[in-house]
Amino acid sequence: MTNAVLSNMKKLFLYLILAAGSSAAYAQQDAAAKTILNDVSKQYRSYNSVKADFVINVQIPQEKVNQSQSGTLLTQAKTNKYKLDIYMPQSKVLERQIYSDGKSQWTYLPQQKEVQVNDASSSAEGMNPAQIFTVYEKGYKYIFSGLQSKGGKTYQAIELTPTDAKQSIFKIKLLIDKAKKQIYSAQLFDKNGSRYTYTVNSFTPNAPAAADAFTFNPKKYPGVEVVDLR
């Protein structure tokens, strides 16, 4: 994967969680959208942990890029912990793993046999997927734009626009499963014409999570080089 695509994938996650915060921060918004989003937030926060399989699609017309990668996220939103697996394009070969226990973050690159360690709060990855399903809770205006059919199912569509007009992402479109009260997909629109789409293929609430699931143990990976960037 090129550095440009990797950078844009990081941007995708960054914007997905950039607005995460307290539901008390809601401004006056579309009443229907607010009700839907409040239900999603309440449902998500009721789980001890969540496991989600997803696909990221990156479209960058100016670079003729249209690329998809799959991944798996295991998260405990209440503790700010997560583990993220990202695979090579169109394959199940592991490209990287990101662990965070809320204090430290480890980025394991199996092809390079290297793990980079950062403070979770200052990581260059610029993301916290533990909050990925509460994207909308602060910093956006939102409106319910109706129902949309996709893959034989009907979803509630909500469009978000940032309160900060300087952001390069000028719109986010969420599709929400009404029955499950879950975000199915988030599509981000960049001013430069690029689009980034995060689609949840499976969502498992209260998934088992071992005590050490969110920390990287170099002893389990003989020969790995530890690069401490803290």
mmCIF file with all atom_site columns, all heavy atoms in Angstrom, residues 42-63:
data_model
loop_
_atom_site.group_PDB
_atom_site.id
_atom_site.type_symbol
_atom_site.label_atom_id
_atom_site.label_alt_id
_atom_site.label_comp_id
_atom_site.label_asym_id
_atom_site.label_entity_id
_atom_site.label_seq_id
_atom_site.pdbx_PDB_ins_code
_atom_site.Cartn_x
_atom_site.Cartn_y
_atom_site.Cartn_z
_atom_site.occupancy
_atom_site.B_iso_or_equiv
_atom_site.pdbx_formal_charge
_atom_site.auth_seq_id
_atom_site.auth_comp_id
_atom_site.auth_asym_id
_atom_site.auth_atom_id
_atom_site.pdbx_PDB_model_num
ATOM 1   N N   . LYS A 1 42 ? -26.870 5.361   23.022 1.00 0.00 ? 42 LYS A N   1
ATOM 2   C CA  . LYS A 1 42 ? -27.306 4.640   24.226 1.00 0.00 ? 42 LYS A CA  1
ATOM 3   C C   . LYS A 1 42 ? -27.070 3.145   24.078 1.00 0.00 ? 42 LYS A C   1
ATOM 4   O O   . LYS A 1 42 ? -26.593 2.480   25.006 1.00 0.00 ? 42 LYS A O   1
ATOM 5   C CB  . LYS A 1 42 ? -28.783 4.927   24.494 1.00 0.00 ? 42 LYS A CB  1
ATOM 6   C CG  . LYS A 1 42 ? -29.317 4.271   25.749 1.00 0.00 ? 42 LYS A CG  1
ATOM 7   C CD  . LYS A 1 42 ? -30.778 4.620   25.979 1.00 0.00 ? 42 LYS A CD  1
ATOM 8   C CE  . LYS A 1 42 ? -31.328 3.943   27.230 1.00 0.00 ? 42 LYS A CE  1
ATOM 9   N NZ  . LYS A 1 42 ? -32.774 4.284   27.437 1.00 0.00 ? 42 LYS A NZ  1
ATOM 10  N N   . GLN A 1 43 ? -27.406 2.617   22.900 1.00 0.00 ? 43 GLN A N   1
ATOM 11  C CA  . GLN A 1 43 ? -27.218 1.183   22.656 1.00 0.00 ? 43 GLN A CA  1
ATOM 12  C C   . GLN A 1 43 ? -25.744 0.805   22.731 1.00 0.00 ? 43 GLN A C   1
ATOM 13  O O   . GLN A 1 43 ? -25.361 -0.163  23.388 1.00 0.00 ? 43 GLN A O   1
ATOM 14  C CB  . GLN A 1 43 ? -27.791 0.830   21.279 1.00 0.00 ? 43 GLN A CB  1
ATOM 15  C CG  . GLN A 1 43 ? -27.668 -0.628  20.886 1.00 0.00 ? 43 GLN A CG  1
ATOM 16  C CD  . GLN A 1 43 ? -28.781 -1.478  21.475 1.00 0.00 ? 43 GLN A CD  1
ATOM 17  O OE1 . GLN A 1 43 ? -29.489 -1.054  22.391 1.00 0.00 ? 43 GLN A OE1 1
ATOM 18  N NE2 . GLN A 1 43 ? -28.932 -2.679  20.972 1.00 0.00 ? 43 GLN A NE2 1
ATOM 19  N N   . TYR A 1 44 ? -24.894 1.580   22.050 1.00 0.00 ? 44 TYR A N   1
ATOM 20  C CA  . TYR A 1 44 ? -23.466 1.262   22.008 1.00 0.00 ? 44 TYR A CA  1
ATOM 21  C C   . TYR A 1 44 ? -22.840 1.323   23.395 1.00 0.00 ? 44 TYR A C   1
ATOM 22  O O   . TYR A 1 44 ? -22.043 0.461   23.778 1.00 0.00 ? 44 TYR A O   1
ATOM 23  C CB  . TYR A 1 44 ? -22.754 2.227   21.063 1.00 0.00 ? 44 TYR A CB  1
ATOM 24  C CG  . TYR A 1 44 ? -21.252 2.050   21.031 1.00 0.00 ? 44 TYR A CG  1
ATOM 25  C CD1 . TYR A 1 44 ? -20.679 0.873   20.564 1.00 0.00 ? 44 TYR A CD1 1
ATOM 26  C CD2 . TYR A 1 44 ? -20.409 3.058   21.483 1.00 0.00 ? 44 TYR A CD2 1
ATOM 27  C CE1 . TYR A 1 44 ? -19.308 0.706   20.530 1.00 0.00 ? 44 TYR A CE1 1
ATOM 28  C CE2 . TYR A 1 44 ? -19.036 2.897   21.455 1.00 0.00 ? 44 TYR A CE2 1
ATOM 29  C CZ  . TYR A 1 44 ? -18.488 1.729   20.978 1.00 0.00 ? 44 TYR A CZ  1
ATOM 30  O OH  . TYR A 1 44 ? -17.131 1.571   20.963 1.00 0.00 ? 44 TYR A OH  1
ATOM 31  N N   . ARG A 1 45 ? -23.202 2.320   24.160 1.00 0.00 ? 45 ARG A N   1
ATOM 32  C CA  . ARG A 1 45 ? -22.613 2.496   25.485 1.00 0.00 ? 45 ARG A CA  1
ATOM 33  C C   . ARG A 1 45 ? -23.091 1.460   26.502 1.00 0.00 ? 45 ARG A C   1
ATOM 34  O O   . ARG A 1 45 ? -22.525 1.349   27.581 1.00 0.00 ? 45 ARG A O   1
ATOM 35  C CB  . ARG A 1 45 ? -22.895 3.907   25.997 1.00 0.00 ? 45 ARG A CB  1
ATOM 36  C CG  . ARG A 1 45 ? -22.215 4.988   25.174 1.00 0.00 ? 45 ARG A CG  1
ATOM 37  C CD  . ARG A 1 45 ? -22.512 6.383   25.723 1.00 0.00 ? 45 ARG A CD  1
ATOM 38  N NE  . ARG A 1 45 ? -22.024 7.422   24.841 1.00 0.00 ? 45 ARG A NE  1
ATOM 39  C CZ  . ARG A 1 45 ? -20.761 7.826   24.774 1.00 0.00 ? 45 ARG A CZ  1
ATOM 40  N NH1 . ARG A 1 45 ? -19.847 7.267   25.549 1.00 0.00 ? 45 ARG A NH1 1
ATOM 41  N NH2 . ARG A 1 45 ? -20.407 8.788   23.941 1.00 0.00 ? 45 ARG A NH2 1
ATOM 42  N N   . SER A 1 46 ? -24.106 0.700   26.135 1.00 0.00 ? 46 SER A N   1
ATOM 43  C CA  . SER A 1 46 ? -24.601 -0.336  27.048 1.00 0.00 ? 46 SER A CA  1
ATOM 44  C C   . SER A 1 46 ? -23.756 -1.607  26.999 1.00 0.00 ? 46 SER A C   1
ATOM 45  O O   . SER A 1 46 ? -23.888 -2.479  27.861 1.00 0.00 ? 46 SER A O   1
ATOM 46  C CB  . SER A 1 46 ? -26.057 -0.684  26.707 1.00 0.00 ? 46 SER A CB  1
ATOM 47  O OG  . SER A 1 46 ? -26.140 -1.384  25.471 1.00 0.00 ? 46 SER A OG  1
ATOM 48  N N   . TYR A 1 47 ? -22.863 -1.715  26.001 1.00 0.00 ? 47 TYR A N   1
ATOM 49  C CA  . TYR A 1 47 ? -22.055 -2.916  25.847 1.00 0.00 ? 47 TYR A CA  1
ATOM 50  C C   . TYR A 1 47 ? -20.746 -2.790  26.615 1.00 0.00 ? 47 TYR A C   1
ATOM 51  O O   . TYR A 1 47 ? -20.151 -1.715  26.695 1.00 0.00 ? 47 TYR A O   1
ATOM 52  C CB  . TYR A 1 47 ? -21.730 -3.162  24.379 1.00 0.00 ? 47 TYR A CB  1
ATOM 53  C CG  . TYR A 1 47 ? -22.928 -3.269  23.470 1.00 0.00 ? 47 TYR A CG  1
ATOM 54  C CD1 . TYR A 1 47 ? -22.957 -2.618  22.244 1.00 0.00 ? 47 TYR A CD1 1
ATOM 55  C CD2 . TYR A 1 47 ? -24.028 -4.028  23.841 1.00 0.00 ? 47 TYR A CD2 1
ATOM 56  C CE1 . TYR A 1 47 ? -24.051 -2.718  21.403 1.00 0.00 ? 47 TYR A CE1 1
ATOM 57  C CE2 . TYR A 1 47 ? -25.132 -4.133  23.005 1.00 0.00 ? 47 TYR A CE2 1
ATOM 58  C CZ  . TYR A 1 47 ? -25.140 -3.472  21.788 1.00 0.00 ? 47 TYR A CZ  1
ATOM 59  O OH  . TYR A 1 47 ? -26.225 -3.562  20.959 1.00 0.00 ? 47 TYR A OH  1
ATOM 60  N N   . ASN A 1 48 ? -20.282 -3.905  27.150 1.00 0.00 ? 48 ASN A N   1
ATOM 61  C CA  . ASN A 1 48 ? -18.967 -3.921  27.800 1.00 0.00 ? 48 ASN A CA  1
ATOM 62  C C   . ASN A 1 48 ? -17.848 -3.892  26.761 1.00 0.00 ? 48 ASN A C   1
ATOM 63  O O   . ASN A 1 48 ? -16.789 -3.296  26.992 1.00 0.00 ? 48 ASN A O   1
ATOM 64  C CB  . ASN A 1 48 ? -18.826 -5.168  28.675 1.00 0.00 ? 48 ASN A CB  1
ATOM 65  C CG  . ASN A 1 48 ? -19.734 -5.130  29.891 1.00 0.00 ? 48 ASN A CG  1
ATOM 66  O OD1 . ASN A 1 48 ? -19.939 -4.076  30.485 1.00 0.00 ? 48 ASN A OD1 1
ATOM 67  N ND2 . ASN A 1 48 ? -20.298 -6.279  30.250 1.00 0.00 ? 48 ASN A ND2 1
ATOM 68  N N   . SER A 1 49 ? -18.078 -4.536  25.650 1.00 0.00 ? 49 SER A N   1
ATOM 69  C CA  . SER A 1 49 ? -17.084 -4.576  24.577 1.00 0.00 ? 49 SER A CA  1
ATOM 70  C C   . SER A 1 49 ? -17.809 -4.794  23.258 1.00 0.00 ? 49 SER A C   1
ATOM 71  O O   . SER A 1 49 ? -18.969 -5.228  23.233 1.00 0.00 ? 49 SER A O   1
ATOM 72  C CB  . SER A 1 49 ? -16.069 -5.704  24.812 1.00 0.00 ? 49 SER A CB  1
ATOM 73  O OG  . SER A 1 49 ? -16.725 -6.965  24.837 1.00 0.00 ? 49 SER A OG  1
ATOM 74  N N   . VAL A 1 50 ? -17.118 -4.497  22.174 1.00 0.00 ? 50 VAL A N   1
ATOM 75  C CA  . VAL A 1 50 ? -17.684 -4.676  20.838 1.00 0.00 ? 50 VAL A CA  1
ATOM 76  C C   . VAL A 1 50 ? -16.599 -5.206  19.910 1.00 0.00 ? 50 VAL A C   1
ATOM 77  O O   . VAL A 1 50 ? -15.450 -4.757  19.962 1.00 0.00 ? 50 VAL A O   1
ATOM 78  C CB  . VAL A 1 50 ? -18.231 -3.341  20.279 1.00 0.00 ? 50 VAL A CB  1
ATOM 79  C CG1 . VAL A 1 50 ? -18.453 -3.430  18.780 1.00 0.00 ? 50 VAL A CG1 1
ATOM 80  C CG2 . VAL A 1 50 ? -19.533 -2.964  20.970 1.00 0.00 ? 50 VAL A CG2 1
ATOM 81  N N   . LYS A 1 51 ? -16.968 -6.157  19.058 1.00 0.00 ? 51 LYS A N   1
ATOM 82  C CA  . LYS A 1 51 ? -16.094 -6.621  18.003 1.00 0.00 ? 51 LYS A CA  1
ATOM 83  C C   . LYS A 1 51 ? -16.774 -6.331  16.674 1.00 0.00 ? 51 LYS A C   1
ATOM 84  O O   . LYS A 1 51 ? -17.967 -6.647  16.506 1.00 0.00 ? 51 LYS A O   1
ATOM 85  C CB  . LYS A 1 51 ? -15.804 -8.118  18.118 1.00 0.00 ? 51 LYS A CB  1
ATOM 86  C CG  . LYS A 1 51 ? -14.856 -8.649  17.034 1.00 0.00 ? 51 LYS A CG  1
ATOM 87  C CD  . LYS A 1 51 ? -14.611 -10.148 17.204 1.00 0.00 ? 51 LYS A CD  1
ATOM 88  C CE  . LYS A 1 51 ? -13.687 -10.676 16.118 1.00 0.00 ? 51 LYS A CE  1
ATOM 89  N NZ  . LYS A 1 51 ? -13.455 -12.139 16.254 1.00 0.00 ? 51 LYS A NZ  1
ATOM 90  N N   . ALA A 1 52 ? -16.054 -5.715  15.754 1.00 0.00 ? 52 ALA A N   1
ATOM 91  C CA  . ALA A 1 52 ? -16.640 -5.374  14.462 1.00 0.00 ? 52 ALA A CA  1
ATOM 92  C C   . ALA A 1 52 ? -15.675 -5.724  13.336 1.00 0.00 ? 52 ALA A C   1
ATOM 93  O O   . ALA A 1 52 ? -14.490 -5.399  13.405 1.00 0.00 ? 52 ALA A O   1
ATOM 94  C CB  . ALA A 1 52 ? -16.985 -3.885  14.407 1.00 0.00 ? 52 ALA A CB  1
ATOM 95  N N   . ASP A 1 53 ? -16.192 -6.408  12.326 1.00 0.00 ? 53 ASP A N   1
ATOM 96  C CA  . ASP A 1 53 ? -15.444 -6.633  11.092 1.00 0.00 ? 53 ASP A CA  1
ATOM 97  C C   . ASP A 1 53 ? -15.885 -5.568  10.100 1.00 0.00 ? 53 ASP A C   1
ATOM 98  O O   . ASP A 1 53 ? -17.086 -5.291  9.958  1.00 0.00 ? 53 ASP A O   1
ATOM 99  C CB  . ASP A 1 53 ? -15.724 -8.025  10.526 1.00 0.00 ? 53 ASP A CB  1
ATOM 100 C CG  . ASP A 1 53 ? -15.204 -9.122  11.439 1.00 0.00 ? 53 ASP A CG  1
ATOM 101 O OD1 . ASP A 1 53 ? -14.057 -9.016  11.899 1.00 0.00 ? 53 ASP A OD1 1
ATOM 102 O OD2 . ASP A 1 53 ? -15.958 -10.080 11.699 1.00 0.00 ? 53 ASP A OD2 1
ATOM 103 N N   . PHE A 1 54 ? -14.928 -4.957  9.407  1.00 0.00 ? 54 PHE A N   1
ATOM 104 C CA  . PHE A 1 54 ? -15.262 -3.820  8.570  1.00 0.00 ? 54 PHE A CA  1
ATOM 105 C C   . PHE A 1 54 ? -14.438 -3.830  7.283  1.00 0.00 ? 54 PHE A C   1
ATOM 106 O O   . PHE A 1 54 ? -13.457 -4.565  7.138  1.00 0.00 ? 54 PHE A O   1
ATOM 107 C CB  . PHE A 1 54 ? -14.996 -2.512  9.321  1.00 0.00 ? 54 PHE A CB  1
ATOM 108 C CG  . PHE A 1 54 ? -13.564 -2.341  9.740  1.00 0.00 ? 54 PHE A CG  1
ATOM 109 C CD1 . PHE A 1 54 ? -12.634 -1.767  8.883  1.00 0.00 ? 54 PHE A CD1 1
ATOM 110 C CD2 . PHE A 1 54 ? -13.130 -2.760  10.988 1.00 0.00 ? 54 PHE A CD2 1
ATOM 111 C CE1 . PHE A 1 54 ? -11.303 -1.624  9.263  1.00 0.00 ? 54 PHE A CE1 1
ATOM 112 C CE2 . PHE A 1 54 ? -11.798 -2.618  11.380 1.00 0.00 ? 54 PHE A CE2 1
ATOM 113 C CZ  . PHE A 1 54 ? -10.887 -2.040  10.510 1.00 0.00 ? 54 PHE A CZ  1
ATOM 114 N N   . VAL A 1 55 ? -14.856 -2.983  6.363  1.00 0.00 ? 55 VAL A N   1
ATOM 115 C CA  . VAL A 1 55 ? -14.122 -2.733  5.123  1.00 0.00 ? 55 VAL A CA  1
ATOM 116 C C   . VAL A 1 55 ? -13.947 -1.230  4.984  1.00 0.00 ? 55 VAL A C   1
ATOM 117 O O   . VAL A 1 55 ? -14.888 -0.466  5.190  1.00 0.00 ? 55 VAL A O   1
ATOM 118 C CB  . VAL A 1 55 ? -14.860 -3.298  3.892  1.00 0.00 ? 55 VAL A CB  1
ATOM 119 C CG1 . VAL A 1 55 ? -14.177 -2.845  2.604  1.00 0.00 ? 55 VAL A CG1 1
ATOM 120 C CG2 . VAL A 1 55 ? -14.900 -4.818  3.942  1.00 0.00 ? 55 VAL A CG2 1
ATOM 121 N N   . ILE A 1 56 ? -12.735 -0.803  4.644  1.00 0.00 ? 56 ILE A N   1
ATOM 122 C CA  . ILE A 1 56 ? -12.450 0.588   4.341  1.00 0.00 ? 56 ILE A CA  1
ATOM 123 C C   . ILE A 1 56 ? -12.237 0.703   2.842  1.00 0.00 ? 56 ILE A C   1
ATOM 124 O O   . ILE A 1 56 ? -11.414 -0.023  2.277  1.00 0.00 ? 56 ILE A O   1
ATOM 125 C CB  . ILE A 1 56 ? -11.181 1.084   5.057  1.00 0.00 ? 56 ILE A CB  1
ATOM 126 C CG1 . ILE A 1 56 ? -11.305 0.920   6.564  1.00 0.00 ? 56 ILE A CG1 1
ATOM 127 C CG2 . ILE A 1 56 ? -10.901 2.541   4.713  1.00 0.00 ? 56 ILE A CG2 1
ATOM 128 C CD1 . ILE A 1 56 ? -9.990  1.136   7.295  1.00 0.00 ? 56 ILE A CD1 1
ATOM 129 N N   . ASN A 1 57 ? -12.979 1.591   2.202  1.00 0.00 ? 57 ASN A N   1
ATOM 130 C CA  . ASN A 1 57 ? -12.760 1.869   0.786  1.00 0.00 ? 57 ASN A CA  1
ATOM 131 C C   . ASN A 1 57 ? -12.255 3.296   0.634  1.00 0.00 ? 57 ASN A C   1
ATOM 132 O O   . ASN A 1 57 ? -12.859 4.230   1.171  1.00 0.00 ? 57 ASN A O   1
ATOM 133 C CB  . ASN A 1 57 ? -14.043 1.683   -0.021 1.00 0.00 ? 57 ASN A CB  1
ATOM 134 C CG  . ASN A 1 57 ? -13.847 2.008   -1.498 1.00 0.00 ? 57 ASN A CG  1
ATOM 135 O OD1 . ASN A 1 57 ? -14.273 3.052   -1.985 1.00 0.00 ? 57 ASN A OD1 1
ATOM 136 N ND2 . ASN A 1 57 ? -13.176 1.111   -2.219 1.00 0.00 ? 57 ASN A ND2 1
ATOM 137 N N   . VAL A 1 58 ? -11.142 3.452   -0.055 1.00 0.00 ? 58 VAL A N   1
ATOM 138 C CA  . VAL A 1 58 ? -10.527 4.760   -0.281 1.00 0.00 ? 58 VAL A CA  1
ATOM 139 C C   . VAL A 1 58 ? -10.575 5.067   -1.770 1.00 0.00 ? 58 VAL A C   1
ATOM 140 O O   . VAL A 1 58 ? -10.055 4.302   -2.584 1.00 0.00 ? 58 VAL A O   1
ATOM 141 C CB  . VAL A 1 58 ? -9.064  4.785   0.216  1.00 0.00 ? 58 VAL A CB  1
ATOM 142 C CG1 . VAL A 1 58 ? -8.433  6.153   -0.056 1.00 0.00 ? 58 VAL A CG1 1
ATOM 143 C CG2 . VAL A 1 58 ? -8.989  4.449   1.694  1.00 0.00 ? 58 VAL A CG2 1
ATOM 144 N N   . GLN A 1 59 ? -11.209 6.188   -2.123 1.00 0.00 ? 59 GLN A N   1
ATOM 145 C CA  . GLN A 1 59 ? -11.282 6.633   -3.510 1.00 0.00 ? 59 GLN A CA  1
ATOM 146 C C   . GLN A 1 59 ? -10.610 8.002   -3.621 1.00 0.00 ? 59 GLN A C   1
ATOM 147 O O   . GLN A 1 59 ? -11.065 8.968   -3.000 1.00 0.00 ? 59 GLN A O   1
ATOM 148 C CB  . GLN A 1 59 ? -12.735 6.728   -3.980 1.00 0.00 ? 59 GLN A CB  1
ATOM 149 C CG  . GLN A 1 59 ? -13.452 5.386   -4.032 1.00 0.00 ? 59 GLN A CG  1
ATOM 150 C CD  . GLN A 1 59 ? -14.908 5.533   -4.421 1.00 0.00 ? 59 GLN A CD  1
ATOM 151 O OE1 . GLN A 1 59 ? -15.643 6.298   -3.823 1.00 0.00 ? 59 GLN A OE1 1
ATOM 152 N NE2 . GLN A 1 59 ? -15.325 4.800   -5.440 1.00 0.00 ? 59 GLN A NE2 1
ATOM 153 N N   . ILE A 1 60 ? -9.516  8.060   -4.394 1.00 0.00 ? 60 ILE A N   1
ATOM 154 C CA  . ILE A 1 60 ? -8.791  9.312   -4.597 1.00 0.00 ? 60 ILE A CA  1
ATOM 155 C C   . ILE A 1 60 ? -8.677  9.516   -6.101 1.00 0.00 ? 60 ILE A C   1
ATOM 156 O O   . ILE A 1 60 ? -7.725  9.032   -6.733 1.00 0.00 ? 60 ILE A O   1
ATOM 157 C CB  . ILE A 1 60 ? -7.395  9.264   -3.937 1.00 0.00 ? 60 ILE A CB  1
ATOM 158 C CG1 . ILE A 1 60 ? -7.492  8.775   -2.488 1.00 0.00 ? 60 ILE A CG1 1
ATOM 159 C CG2 . ILE A 1 60 ? -6.736  10.644  -3.978 1.00 0.00 ? 60 ILE A CG2 1
ATOM 160 C CD1 . ILE A 1 60 ? -6.158  8.556   -1.820 1.00 0.00 ? 60 ILE A CD1 1
ATOM 161 N N   . PRO A 1 61 ? -9.640  10.197  -6.697 1.00 0.00 ? 61 PRO A N   1
ATOM 162 C CA  . PRO A 1 61 ? -9.666  10.327  -8.168 1.00 0.00 ? 61 PRO A CA  1
ATOM 163 C C   . PRO A 1 61 ? -8.391  10.911  -8.754 1.00 0.00 ? 61 PRO A C   1
ATOM 164 O O   . PRO A 1 61 ? -7.918  10.445  -9.800 1.00 0.00 ? 61 PRO A O   1
ATOM 165 C CB  . PRO A 1 61 ? -10.867 11.253  -8.411 1.00 0.00 ? 61 PRO A CB  1
ATOM 166 C CG  . PRO A 1 61 ? -11.745 11.057  -7.209 1.00 0.00 ? 61 PRO A CG  1
ATOM 167 C CD  . PRO A 1 61 ? -10.803 10.837  -6.070 1.00 0.00 ? 61 PRO A CD  1
ATOM 168 N N   . GLN A 1 62 ? -7.822  11.923  -8.095 1.00 0.00 ? 62 GLN A N   1
ATOM 169 C CA  . GLN A 1 62 ? -6.643  12.576  -8.664 1.00 0.00 ? 62 GLN A CA  1
ATOM 170 C C   . GLN A 1 62 ? -5.428  11.660  -8.703 1.00 0.00 ? 62 GLN A C   1
ATOM 171 O O   . GLN A 1 62 ? -4.475  11.896  -9.460 1.00 0.00 ? 62 GLN A O   1
ATOM 172 C CB  . GLN A 1 62 ? -6.310  13.871  -7.895 1.00 0.00 ? 62 GLN A CB  1
ATOM 173 C CG  . GLN A 1 62 ? -5.954  13.681  -6.429 1.00 0.00 ? 62 GLN A CG  1
ATOM 174 C CD  . GLN A 1 62 ? -7.156  13.724  -5.510 1.00 0.00 ? 62 GLN A CD  1
ATOM 175 O OE1 . GLN A 1 62 ? -8.235  13.303  -5.883 1.00 0.00 ? 62 GLN A OE1 1
ATOM 176 N NE2 . GLN A 1 62 ? -6.958  14.264  -4.319 1.00 0.00 ? 62 GLN A NE2 1
ATOM 177 N N   . GLU A 1 63 ? -5.438  10.589  -7.896 1.00 0.00 ? 63 GLU A N   1
ATOM 178 C CA  . GLU A 1 63 ? -4.345  9.629   -7.900 1.00 0.00 ? 63 GLU A CA  1
ATOM 179 C C   . GLU A 1 63 ? -4.772  8.293   -8.520 1.00 0.00 ? 63 GLU A C   1
ATOM 180 O O   . GLU A 1 63 ? -4.031  7.320   -8.478 1.00 0.00 ? 63 GLU A O   1
ATOM 181 C CB  . GLU A 1 63 ? -3.832  9.395   -6.471 1.00 0.00 ? 63 GLU A CB  1
ATOM 182 C CG  . GLU A 1 63 ? -3.259  10.648  -5.812 1.00 0.00 ? 63 GLU A CG  1
ATOM 183 C CD  . GLU A 1 63 ? -2.754  10.377  -4.411 1.00 0.00 ? 63 GLU A CD  1
ATOM 184 O OE1 . GLU A 1 63 ? -2.512  9.198   -4.079 1.00 0.00 ? 63 GLU A OE1 1
ATOM 185 O OE2 . GLU A 1 63 ? -2.605  11.345  -3.642 1.00 0.00 ? 63 GLU A OE2 1
#
